[in-house]
Amino acid sequence: MPGFGISFGLSTLFVSLIILFPLSALLAHVAELSWAQYWRAISDPRVVASYRVTLTGALYSSIAAALIGLLLAWIVTRYEFPGRRIIDALVDLPFALPTAVAGLTLAVLFAPGGWFGQFFAAHDIKIAYAYPGIVIAMTFTSLPFVVRTVQPVLLEGDKECEEAARSLGATAFQTFWRITLPTIVPALVAGTSQAFIRSLGEFGAVIMIAGNMPFRTEVSSLMIFVRLQEFDYPAASAIASVILLASLLMLFVLQLIQGRLFPWQRVMR
């Protein structure tokens, strides 16, 4: 590797081109608005409703991703069975699959006449083109963050402590609850937070399955797109700044939680 000066300079250049310059352009558009115009743009009733849909959908999907992701990570790391590598590879599918394709596929599957949707439709439960579809789409796209964050911790875990606990008479559940779970909680919190932040900005998968009904199934990223279609770039930037602020706040809270509740993580780093 080259020296510190060259490495630091190239890293700063790439970070500036990919992150800082786009954010500067966003803030430049926001600066065109007065405070009254900015408040009007972000407090429009339709936009506020999209905040509520986005936040609640991201919350529910993050909880689902945490539970499912923990289960998947546990299975692919602690058990040997036919097809384990295939399941492990499929976890990364949401990263490789275009989100619009994922949303369209989910919409077809969960539509009233789809493979899965027909069973819900028989009980008068609507998934596609309704709020539950948003949660499913967000869970699908954010699930790998939880699995890939928890999986290395499970692989590097101290299995000797688990074996010692079982030799002393602890049940499998007691061993998991008292020995394994405390070691993976920091990774689980980090992965779930990343899943939540990812869900806040999800667009392609959500709009294909949500139905995009005003005040009911519109997400904030769709409202940004609507304002862009109206050539109202300052208003679109204002809404985007709210999502950006929420994401940065979540990252800050995550770092604070890891520093306060899991101080040993900093020592290990």
Side-chain angles (χ1 to χ4, degrees):
M1 293 293 291
F4 172 77
I6 298 177
S7 301
F8 180 77
L10 290 175
S11 300
T12 303
L13 174 62
F14 291 138
V15 169
S16 300
L17 292 175
I18 297 175
I19 299 177
L20 298 182
F21 288 163
L23 292 182
S24 299
L26 173 66
L27 296 178
H29 281 297
V30 174
E32 298 177 5
L33 300 172
S34 64
W35 172 249
Q37 292 173 324
Y38 178 81
W39 180 253
R40 191 181 307 113
I42 66 174
S43 62
D44 180 82
R46 185 178 174 186
V47 175
V48 172
S50 73
Y51 296 153
R52 183 178 64 255
V53 172
T54 303
L55 287 174
T56 56
L59 176 62
Y60 296 145
S61 66
S62 298
I63 295 174
L67 297 176
I68 300 173
L70 177 58
L71 180 62
L72 277 174
W74 180 268
I75 289 174
V76 298
T77 56
R78 294 303 177 91
Y79 297 101
E80 290 288 343
F81 55 91
R84 182 181 67 86
R85 292 187 177 182
I86 296 177
I87 294 178
D88 190 25
L90 288 176
V91 169
D92 294 326
L93 182 62
F95 285 153
L97 194 66
T99 55
V101 176
L104 181 60
T105 303
L106 291 173
V108 172
L109 290 175
F110 287 97
W115 288 358
F116 304 146
Q118 58 182 333
F119 300 105
F120 292 99
H123 300 281
D124 199 23
I125 300 176
K126 191 174 183 181
I127 303 296
Y129 314 118
Y131 182 81
I134 298 176
V135 177
I136 291 176
M138 289 182 174
T139 303
F140 176 82
T141 56
S142 61
L143 183 62
F145 288 96
V146 178
V147 179
R148 294 312 183 203
T149 305
V150 175
Q151 190 174 2
V153 181
L154 287 174
L155 287 172
E156 298 176 2
D158 190 358
K159 296 183 180 180
E160 294 180 357
C161 293
E162 298 178 7
E163 294 174 357
R166 292 189 179 183
S167 67
L168 294 174
T171 63
F173 178 78
Q174 289 174 330
T175 302
F176 173 79
W177 185 258
R178 297 189 177 184
I179 304 297
T180 308
L181 185 60
T183 62
I184 65 176
V185 163
L188 184 62
V189 171
T192 304
S193 301
Q194 293 174 9
F196 180 82
I197 295 171
R198 176 69 177 83
S199 298
L200 288 179
E202 181 54 44
F203 177 68
V206 170
I207 65 172
M208 291 294 181
I209 195 174
N212 307 321
M213 293 177 286
F215 300 97
R216 295 180 60 186
T217 59
E218 284 184 334
V219 293
S220 298
S221 55
L222 176 62
M223 292 308 305
I224 296 173
F225 180 75
V226 170
R227 294 295 180 261
L228 290 175
Q229 291 293 99
E230 297 171 350
F231 299 99
D232 192 352
Y233 299 114
S237 300
I239 301 172
S241 68
V242 174
I243 303 301
L244 175 62
L245 180 62
S247 300
L248 292 176
L249 181 62
M250 189 64 188
L251 287 174
F252 174 77
V253 171
L254 174 61
Q255 293 296 325
L256 185 63
I257 291 176
Q258 288 181 325
R260 294 289 182 86
L261 299 183
F262 316 116
W264 67 87
Q265 294 291 316
R266 293 181 295 180
V267 176
M268 294 175 61
R269 292 175 184 173

